[in-house]
Amino acid sequence: MVSRVRVWLNRTYAENVFFMDQLRRNPSDRAVEIHATHADPDSPVLAAADTADLEPEGLSPAGYVEYALDQCARRGIDVFVPRLHQAAIVAHRADFAAAGTALLAPTPEAVAVFEDKATAYEAVRSVGVPVPPWWRVRTADELRCAVEELESSGHKACFKPAAGAGGVGFRVITRTSCSLADLAGFPGPYVRLDSVIEALTRAEEPVDWLVMPRLDQPEVSVDCLTGTDNRLRLAVGRTKNGRRRGFTLDERWLEPARLVAEGFGLHHLSNIQFRMFGDRPVLLDVNTRPAGGLHQLSLCGINVPWAAVRLALGEDPGFIEPPFLGPDYTVVSGPRPLLPAALPRQRVGSAEALLPAVPMQAASPAEVLPL
């Protein structure tokens, strides 16, 4: 009898409820139980899991590693998919292996390279992957100089934190005044240069931003699955152009993603994003974790989360080519259940059903619909 697989996702994105659904609906028909932890008791991943814990706040990275090792031992975790404190966790891979837990995460060296976007751009450029022009700025004067240089070449300038994820802190520089039309619409990413300069001048500490031209669509996110032998098992691009989404196997996107994934030890799941600078694709960002939209590849007839878990367990799935590319689609929000207010709510035994969850209208998870 094949044993169940116990998977833990820590403080992951709400959209990964679909990652969890795919693990349970795996083509091997293998029993999967999922443990989830989060600091937010209203995270839908807690309701979607078989067992759930609230995470302690205020732990140092080293303290969190101790917490994670205890979770793995007590919960019998076979595969751990770390998001929070990923760098500290992968540095202790041997300790997790000793506890019987495989990490579905890249090498410490890869995490270190891609934690900082400036370091990442320098690294990938050295192996021939094109990157946009960029400036690292910490002061108002450095920001002004970078923006003026970009504008003199006919580009619109934008900035984002040198370290960060999910588009947090991304802004586009404008010199136009706010109009009533701007106030009538939804808030956007545009900020006036003089307002940013004023904020930087008043700030007590320097910022750490990258300034670059605003890149053109399409945005292509290449989801990669790479073995510990540095060989790619899967690479499929998800395209985004406004509301329209689709899929691609065009080597313009896949070849540079392959160079990054195989060349920098991005083992297991990673997501490598590109946009257009003029007439060529350039690197936008590298995520050393599963993308929130990874489940969308199910429209291409593949279950990537399960292939990744198999690979982490030492069961090599071989090279995976989608049997077809799915239709264009869009993403809409939908309701997902939440836990009752009291936590933890646990499954005591495999036969014990969970208490009914309280449905709430939540916009963070997303379903996909064909266009």
Coordinates of all heavy atoms in Angstrom, one line a residue, residues 246-319:
G246 N -2.9 33.8 -21.7 CA -2.7 32.7 -22.6 C -1.4 31.9 -22.2 O -0.8 32.1 -21.1
F247 N -1.0 31.0 -23.1 CA 0.2 30.2 -22.9 C 1.1 30.2 -24.1 O 0.6 30.4 -25.2 CB -0.2 28.7 -22.6 CG -1.2 28.6 -21.5 CD1 -2.6 28.5 -21.7 CD2 -0.8 28.6 -20.2 CE1 -3.5 28.3 -20.7 CE2 -1.7 28.5 -19.1 CZ -3.0 28.4 -19.3
T248 N 2.4 30.0 -23.9 CA 3.3 30.0 -25.0 C 4.5 29.0 -24.7 O 4.9 28.8 -23.5 CB 3.9 31.4 -25.2 OG1 4.8 31.3 -26.3 CG2 4.7 31.9 -24.0
L249 N 5.0 28.4 -25.8 CA 6.2 27.6 -25.7 C 7.3 28.3 -26.6 O 8.3 27.6 -27.0 CB 6.0 26.2 -26.2 CG 5.1 25.4 -25.3 CD1 4.8 24.0 -25.9 CD2 5.7 25.2 -23.9
D250 N 7.1 29.6 -26.9 CA 8.1 30.3 -27.8 C 9.4 30.4 -27.1 O 9.6 30.8 -26.0 CB 7.5 31.7 -28.0 CG 8.3 32.5 -29.1 OD1 9.5 32.3 -29.2 OD2 7.6 33.3 -29.8
E251 N 10.5 30.0 -27.9 CA 11.8 29.9 -27.3 C 12.4 31.3 -27.0 O 13.3 31.4 -26.2 CB 12.8 29.2 -28.3 CG 12.6 27.7 -28.2 CD 13.0 27.1 -26.9 OE1 14.0 27.6 -26.3 OE2 12.4 26.1 -26.5
R252 N 11.8 32.4 -27.5 CA 12.2 33.7 -27.1 C 12.1 33.9 -25.6 O 12.9 34.7 -25.0 CB 11.4 34.8 -27.8 CG 11.6 35.0 -29.3 CD 10.9 36.2 -29.7 NE 9.5 36.3 -29.3 CZ 8.8 37.5 -29.3 NH1 9.4 38.6 -29.5 NH2 7.6 37.4 -28.9
W253 N 11.1 33.3 -25.0 CA 10.9 33.4 -23.6 C 11.5 32.2 -22.8 O 12.0 32.3 -21.7 CB 9.4 33.4 -23.3 CG 8.6 34.4 -24.1 CD1 7.9 34.1 -25.2 CD2 8.5 35.8 -24.0 NE1 7.3 35.2 -25.8 CE2 7.7 36.3 -25.1 CE3 9.1 36.7 -23.1 CZ2 7.4 37.6 -25.2 CZ3 8.8 38.1 -23.3 CH2 8.0 38.5 -24.3
L254 N 11.4 31.0 -23.4 CA 11.8 29.8 -22.7 C 13.3 29.7 -22.6 O 13.8 29.2 -21.6 CB 11.2 28.5 -23.4 CG 9.9 28.0 -22.8 CD1 8.8 29.1 -22.8 CD2 9.4 26.8 -23.6
E255 N 14.0 30.1 -23.7 CA 15.5 29.9 -23.6 C 16.1 30.7 -22.5 O 17.0 30.2 -21.8 CB 16.1 30.2 -25.0 CG 17.6 30.1 -25.1 CD 18.2 28.8 -24.7 OE1 17.4 27.8 -24.8 OE2 19.3 28.7 -24.2
P256 N 15.8 32.0 -22.4 CA 16.5 32.7 -21.3 C 16.0 32.2 -19.9 O 16.8 32.2 -19.0 CB 16.0 34.2 -21.5 CG 14.9 34.1 -22.4 CD 15.1 32.9 -23.3
A257 N 14.7 31.8 -19.8 CA 14.3 31.2 -18.6 C 15.1 29.9 -18.2 O 15.5 29.7 -17.1 CB 12.8 30.9 -18.6
R258 N 15.4 29.1 -19.3 CA 16.2 27.9 -19.1 C 17.6 28.2 -18.6 O 18.1 27.6 -17.7 CB 16.2 27.1 -20.4 CG 16.8 25.7 -20.3 CD 16.8 25.0 -21.7 NE 15.5 24.8 -22.1 CZ 14.9 25.3 -23.1 NH1 15.5 26.2 -23.9 NH2 13.6 25.0 -23.5
L259 N 18.2 29.3 -19.2 CA 19.5 29.7 -18.7 C 19.5 30.0 -17.3 O 20.5 29.7 -16.5 CB 20.0 30.9 -19.6 CG 20.4 30.6 -21.0 CD1 20.7 31.9 -21.8 CD2 21.7 29.8 -21.0
V260 N 18.5 30.7 -16.8 CA 18.4 31.2 -15.4 C 18.1 30.0 -14.5 O 18.9 29.8 -13.5 CB 17.3 32.3 -15.2 CG1 17.2 32.6 -13.8 CG2 17.7 33.5 -16.1
A261 N 17.1 29.2 -14.8 CA 16.7 28.1 -13.9 C 17.9 27.0 -13.8 O 18.2 26.6 -12.7 CB 15.5 27.4 -14.5
E262 N 18.5 26.7 -14.9 CA 19.5 25.6 -14.9 C 20.9 26.2 -14.4 O 21.7 25.5 -13.9 CB 19.6 25.0 -16.3 CG 18.4 24.2 -16.7 CD 18.6 23.5 -18.0 OE1 19.5 23.8 -18.8 OE2 17.8 22.5 -18.3
G263 N 21.1 27.5 -14.7 CA 22.4 28.0 -14.4 C 22.6 28.5 -13.0 O 23.8 28.7 -12.6
F264 N 21.5 28.7 -12.3 CA 21.7 29.3 -10.9 C 21.1 28.4 -9.8 O 20.9 28.9 -8.7 CB 21.0 30.7 -10.9 CG 21.7 31.7 -11.7 CD1 21.3 32.0 -13.0 CD2 22.8 32.4 -11.2 CE1 22.0 32.9 -13.8 CE2 23.5 33.3 -11.9 CZ 23.1 33.6 -13.2
G265 N 20.8 27.1 -10.1 CA 20.4 26.2 -9.0 C 19.0 26.5 -8.6 O 18.7 26.3 -7.4
L266 N 18.1 27.0 -9.5 CA 16.7 27.2 -9.1 C 15.9 25.9 -9.1 O 15.0 25.6 -9.9 CB 16.0 28.2 -10.1 CG 16.4 29.6 -9.9 CD1 15.9 30.5 -11.0 CD2 15.8 30.1 -8.6
H267 N 16.3 25.0 -8.2 CA 15.7 23.7 -8.1 C 14.3 23.8 -7.8 O 13.8 24.7 -7.1 CB 16.5 22.8 -7.1 CG 17.9 22.6 -7.5 ND1 18.9 22.2 -6.5 CD2 18.6 22.9 -8.6 CE1 20.0 22.1 -7.1 NE2 19.9 22.5 -8.4
H268 N 13.5 22.7 -8.2 CA 12.1 22.6 -7.9 C 11.3 23.7 -8.7 O 11.6 24.0 -9.8 CB 11.8 22.5 -6.4 CG 12.6 21.4 -5.8 ND1 12.4 20.1 -6.0 CD2 13.7 21.5 -4.9 CE1 13.2 19.4 -5.3 NE2 14.0 20.2 -4.7
L269 N 10.4 24.4 -8.0 CA 9.5 25.4 -8.8 C 10.1 26.8 -8.7 O 10.4 27.3 -7.6 CB 8.1 25.3 -8.2 CG 7.3 24.1 -8.5 CD1 6.0 24.0 -7.7 CD2 7.0 24.0 -10.0
S270 N 10.1 27.4 -9.8 CA 10.5 28.9 -9.9 C 9.6 29.5 -11.0 O 9.0 28.8 -11.8 CB 11.9 29.1 -10.2 OG 12.3 28.5 -11.5
N271 N 9.6 30.8 -11.0 CA 8.8 31.6 -11.9 C 9.7 32.8 -12.4 O 10.1 33.6 -11.6 CB 7.5 32.1 -11.3 CG 6.7 33.0 -12.2 OD1 6.7 34.2 -12.0 ND2 6.0 32.4 -13.1
I272 N 9.9 32.8 -13.7 CA 10.8 33.8 -14.3 C 10.0 34.7 -15.2 O 9.4 34.2 -16.2 CB 12.0 33.1 -15.0 CG1 12.7 32.1 -14.0 CG2 13.0 34.1 -15.6 CD1 13.6 31.2 -14.6
Q273 N 10.0 36.0 -15.0 CA 9.1 36.9 -15.7 C 9.9 37.8 -16.6 O 11.0 38.3 -16.3 CB 8.4 37.8 -14.6 CG 7.6 37.0 -13.6 CD 7.0 37.8 -12.5 OE1 7.3 39.0 -12.4 NE2 6.3 37.2 -11.6
F274 N 9.2 38.0 -17.8 CA 9.8 38.9 -18.8 C 8.8 39.9 -19.3 O 7.6 39.7 -19.2 CB 10.3 38.1 -20.0 CG 11.3 37.0 -19.7 CD1 10.9 35.7 -19.3 CD2 12.6 37.3 -19.8 CE1 11.8 34.7 -19.0 CE2 13.6 36.3 -19.5 CZ 13.2 35.0 -19.1
R275 N 9.3 41.0 -19.8 CA 8.5 42.0 -20.5 C 9.3 42.5 -21.7 O 10.5 42.1 -21.9 CB 8.1 43.2 -19.6 CG 6.8 42.9 -18.8 CD 6.2 44.2 -18.3 NE 4.9 44.0 -17.7 CZ 3.9 44.8 -17.9 NH1 4.0 45.9 -18.7 NH2 2.7 44.6 -17.3
M276 N 8.7 43.3 -22.5 CA 9.4 43.8 -23.7 C 10.1 45.2 -23.5 O 9.5 46.1 -22.8 CB 8.4 44.0 -24.8 CG 7.7 42.7 -25.3 SD 8.8 41.4 -25.9 CE 9.3 42.2 -27.4
F277 N 11.3 45.3 -23.9 CA 12.0 46.6 -24.0 C 12.3 46.8 -25.5 O 13.2 46.2 -26.0 CB 13.2 46.5 -23.1 CG 14.0 47.8 -23.1 CD1 13.4 49.0 -22.7 CD2 15.3 47.9 -23.6 CE1 14.1 50.2 -22.7 CE2 16.0 49.1 -23.6 CZ 15.4 50.2 -23.1
G278 N 11.6 47.7 -26.1 CA 11.7 47.8 -27.5 C 11.1 46.6 -28.2 O 10.0 46.1 -27.9
D279 N 12.0 45.9 -29.0 CA 11.5 44.7 -29.7 C 12.1 43.4 -29.2 O 12.0 42.4 -29.9 CB 11.9 44.9 -31.2 CG 13.4 45.0 -31.4 OD1 14.1 45.1 -30.4 OD2 13.8 45.0 -32.6
R280 N 12.6 43.4 -27.9 CA 13.1 42.2 -27.4 C 12.7 42.0 -26.0 O 12.5 42.9 -25.2 CB 14.6 42.2 -27.5 CG 15.3 43.2 -26.6 CD 16.8 43.0 -26.5 NE 17.5 43.9 -25.6 CZ 18.7 43.7 -25.1 NH1 19.4 42.7 -25.5 NH2 19.2 44.6 -24.3
P281 N 12.5 40.7 -25.6 CA 12.2 40.4 -24.2 C 13.3 40.6 -23.3 O 14.5 40.4 -23.7 CB 11.8 38.9 -24.2 CG 11.7 38.5 -25.7 CD 12.5 39.5 -26.4
V282 N 13.1 41.2 -22.1 CA 14.1 41.4 -21.1 C 13.6 40.8 -19.8 O 12.3 40.8 -19.5 CB 14.5 42.9 -20.9 CG1 15.2 43.4 -22.2 CG2 13.3 43.7 -20.6
L283 N 14.5 40.5 -18.9 CA 14.1 39.9 -17.6 C 13.4 41.0 -16.7 O 13.9 42.1 -16.7 CB 15.3 39.4 -16.8 CG 15.0 38.7 -15.5 CD1 14.4 37.4 -15.7 CD2 16.3 38.6 -14.6
L284 N 12.3 40.6 -16.1 CA 11.6 41.5 -15.2 C 11.9 41.1 -13.8 O 12.3 41.9 -12.9 CB 10.1 41.5 -15.5 CG 9.2 42.4 -14.5 CD1 9.6 43.8 -14.7 CD2 7.7 42.1 -14.9
D285 N 11.7 39.8 -13.5 CA 11.9 39.4 -12.1 C 12.0 37.9 -12.1 O 11.6 37.2 -13.0 CB 10.6 39.8 -11.2 CG 11.0 39.9 -9.7 OD1 12.1 39.6 -9.4 OD2 10.1 40.3 -9.0
V286 N 12.6 37.4 -11.0 CA 12.7 35.9 -10.8 C 12.2 35.6 -9.4 O 12.6 36.2 -8.4 CB 14.2 35.5 -10.8 CG1 14.3 34.0 -10.5 CG2 14.8 35.8 -12.2
N287 N 11.2 34.7 -9.3 CA 10.6 34.2 -8.1 C 11.2 32.8 -7.8 O 11.0 31.9 -8.6 CB 9.1 34.2 -8.1 CG 8.5 35.6 -8.3 OD1 8.9 36.5 -7.6 ND2 7.7 35.8 -9.3
T288 N 11.8 32.7 -6.6 CA 12.3 31.4 -6.2 C 11.3 30.5 -5.5 O 11.6 29.8 -4.6 CB 13.6 31.6 -5.3 OG1 13.2 32.3 -4.1 CG2 14.7 32.4 -6.0
R289 N 10.1 30.6 -5.9 CA 9.0 29.9 -5.3 C 7.9 29.6 -6.4 O 8.0 30.2 -7.5 CB 8.4 30.8 -4.2 CG 8.0 32.1 -4.7 CD 7.1 33.0 -3.8 NE 6.9 34.3 -4.4 CZ 6.1 34.6 -5.4 NH1 5.4 33.7 -6.0 NH2 6.0 35.9 -5.8
P290 N 6.9 28.8 -6.1 CA 5.8 28.6 -7.0 C 5.1 29.9 -7.2 O 4.8 30.6 -6.2 CB 4.9 27.5 -6.4 CG 5.8 26.9 -5.3 CD 6.8 27.9 -4.9
A291 N 4.7 30.2 -8.4 CA 3.9 31.4 -8.7 C 2.5 31.2 -8.3 O 2.0 30.0 -8.3 CB 3.9 31.7 -10.2
G292 N 1.8 32.2 -7.9 CA 0.4 32.1 -7.5 C -0.5 31.6 -8.6 O -1.5 31.0 -8.3
G293 N -0.1 31.9 -9.8 CA -0.9 31.5 -11.0 C -0.5 30.1 -11.6 O -1.0 29.8 -12.6
L294 N 0.3 29.4 -10.8 CA 0.8 28.1 -11.4 C -0.3 27.1 -11.7 O -0.2 26.4 -12.7 CB 1.8 27.4 -10.4 CG 2.4 26.1 -10.7 CD1 3.4 26.2 -11.9 CD2 3.0 25.4 -9.5
H295 N -1.4 27.2 -11.0 CA -2.5 26.2 -11.2 C -3.1 26.4 -12.6 O -3.8 25.6 -13.1 CB -3.6 26.4 -10.1 CG -4.2 27.8 -10.1 ND1 -3.6 28.9 -9.6 CD2 -5.4 28.2 -10.7 CE1 -4.4 29.9 -9.8 NE2 -5.5 29.5 -10.4
Q296 N -2.9 27.6 -13.2 CA -3.5 27.9 -14.5 C -3.0 27.0 -15.6 O -3.6 26.8 -16.6 CB -3.3 29.4 -14.8 CG -4.1 30.3 -13.9 CD -3.5 31.7 -13.9 OE1 -2.8 32.1 -14.8 NE2 -3.9 32.5 -12.9
L297 N -1.8 26.4 -15.3 CA -1.3 25.4 -16.3 C -2.2 24.1 -16.4 O -2.0 23.3 -17.3 CB 0.1 25.0 -16.0 CG 1.2 26.1 -16.1 CD1 2.6 25.6 -15.8 CD2 1.2 26.8 -17.5
S298 N -3.1 24.0 -15.5 CA -4.0 22.8 -15.6 C -4.8 23.0 -16.9 O -5.3 21.9 -17.4 CB -5.0 22.8 -14.4 OG -5.8 23.9 -14.3
L299 N -5.0 24.2 -17.4 CA -5.7 24.4 -18.7 C -4.9 23.8 -19.9 O -5.4 23.7 -21.0 CB -5.9 25.9 -19.0 CG -6.9 26.6 -18.0 CD1 -7.0 28.1 -18.3 CD2 -8.3 25.9 -18.1
C300 N -3.6 23.4 -19.6 CA -2.8 22.8 -20.6 C -2.7 21.3 -20.4 O -1.8 20.6 -21.0 CB -1.4 23.4 -20.6 SG -1.3 25.1 -21.0
G301 N -3.5 20.8 -19.5 CA -3.5 19.3 -19.2 C -2.4 18.8 -18.4 O -2.1 17.6 -18.4
I302 N -1.8 19.6 -17.5 CA -0.7 19.2 -16.7 C -1.0 19.6 -15.2 O -1.5 20.6 -15.0 CB 0.7 19.7 -17.1 CG1 0.6 21.2 -17.4 CG2 1.2 18.9 -18.4 CD1 2.0 21.8 -17.9
N303 N -0.5 18.8 -14.3 CA -0.6 19.0 -12.9 C 0.8 19.3 -12.4 O 1.5 18.3 -11.9 CB -1.3 17.8 -12.2 CG -1.5 18.1 -10.7 OD1 -0.8 18.8 -10.0 ND2 -2.6 17.5 -10.2
V304 N 1.2 20.5 -12.4 CA 2.6 20.9 -12.0 C 2.9 20.7 -10.5 O 4.0 20.2 -10.2 CB 3.0 22.3 -12.6 CG1 4.5 22.6 -12.3 CG2 2.7 22.4 -14.1
P305 N 2.0 21.1 -9.6 CA 2.3 20.9 -8.2 C 2.6 19.5 -7.9 O 3.5 19.2 -7.1 CB 1.0 21.4 -7.5 CG 0.5 22.5 -8.5 CD 0.7 21.9 -9.8
W306 N 1.8 18.6 -8.4 CA 2.1 17.2 -8.1 C 3.4 16.7 -8.7 O 4.2 15.9 -8.0 CB 0.9 16.3 -8.6 CG 1.2 14.8 -8.3 CD1 1.3 13.8 -9.3 CD2 1.3 14.2 -7.1 NE1 1.6 12.6 -8.6 CE2 1.5 12.8 -7.3 CE3 1.3 14.7 -5.8 CZ2 1.7 11.9 -6.2 CZ3 1.4 13.8 -4.7 CH2 1.7 12.4 -4.9
A307 N 3.7 17.1 -9.9 CA 5.0 16.8 -10.5 C 6.2 17.3 -9.6 O 7.2 16.6 -9.4 CB 5.2 17.3 -11.9
A308 N 6.0 18.5 -9.0 CA 7.0 19.1 -8.2 C 7.2 18.3 -6.9 O 8.3 18.1 -6.4 CB 6.7 20.5 -7.9
V309 N 6.1 17.8 -6.3 CA 6.1 17.0 -5.1 C 6.8 15.7 -5.3 O 7.6 15.2 -4.6 CB 4.7 16.9 -4.5 CG1 4.7 15.8 -3.4 CG2 4.2 18.2 -3.9
R310 N 6.5 15.1 -6.5 CA 7.1 13.8 -6.8 C 8.6 14.0 -6.9 O 9.4 13.2 -6.5 CB 6.6 13.3 -8.1 CG 5.2 12.7 -8.1 CD 4.8 12.1 -9.4 NE 5.8 11.0 -9.7 CZ 6.0 10.5 -10.9 NH1 5.3 11.1 -12.0 NH2 6.9 9.5 -11.1
L311 N 9.0 15.1 -7.6 CA 10.5 15.4 -7.8 C 11.1 15.6 -6.4 O 12.3 15.1 -6.2 CB 10.7 16.6 -8.7 CG 12.1 16.9 -9.1 CD1 12.7 15.8 -9.9 CD2 12.1 18.2 -9.9
A312 N 10.5 16.3 -5.5 CA 11.0 16.5 -4.2 C 11.2 15.2 -3.4 O 12.1 15.1 -2.6 CB 10.2 17.5 -3.4
L313 N 10.3 14.3 -3.7 CA 10.4 13.0 -3.0 C 11.4 12.0 -3.6 O 11.5 10.9 -3.2 CB 9.0 12.3 -3.0 CG 7.9 13.0 -2.1 CD1 6.6 12.4 -2.3 CD2 8.3 12.9 -0.6
G314 N 12.0 12.5 -4.7 CA 13.0 11.6 -5.4 C 12.4 10.8 -6.5 O 13.0 9.9 -7.0
E315 N 11.1 11.0 -6.9 CA 10.4 10.3 -7.9 C 10.4 11.1 -9.2 O 9.5 11.9 -9.4 CB 9.0 10.0 -7.5 CG 8.9 9.2 -6.2 CD 7.4 9.2 -5.7 OE1 6.5 9.6 -6.4 OE2 7.2 8.7 -4.5
D316 N 11.5 11.0 -10.0 CA 11.7 11.9 -11.1 C 10.5 11.7 -12.1 O 10.4 10.6 -12.7 CB 13.0 11.6 -11.8 CG 13.5 12.7 -12.7 OD1 12.6 13.4 -13.2 OD2 14.7 12.8 -12.9
P317 N 9.8 12.8 -12.4 CA 8.7 12.7 -13.4 C 9.2 12.7 -14.8 O 8.4 12.5 -15.8 CB 7.8 13.9 -13.1 CG 8.8 14.9 -12.6 CD 9.8 14.1 -11.8
G318 N 10.5 13.0 -15.1 CA 11.0 13.1 -16.4 C 10.6 14.4 -17.0 O 10.0 15.3 -16.3
F319 N 10.9 14.6 -18.3 CA 10.6 15.9 -18.9 C 9.1 15.9 -19.2 O 8.5 15.0 -19.7 CB 11.3 16.1 -20.2 CG 11.1 17.4 -20.9 CD1 11.6 18.6 -20.4 CD2 10.2 17.5 -22.0 CE1 11.3 19.8 -21.0 CE2 9.9 18.7 -22.6 CZ 10.5 19.8 -22.1

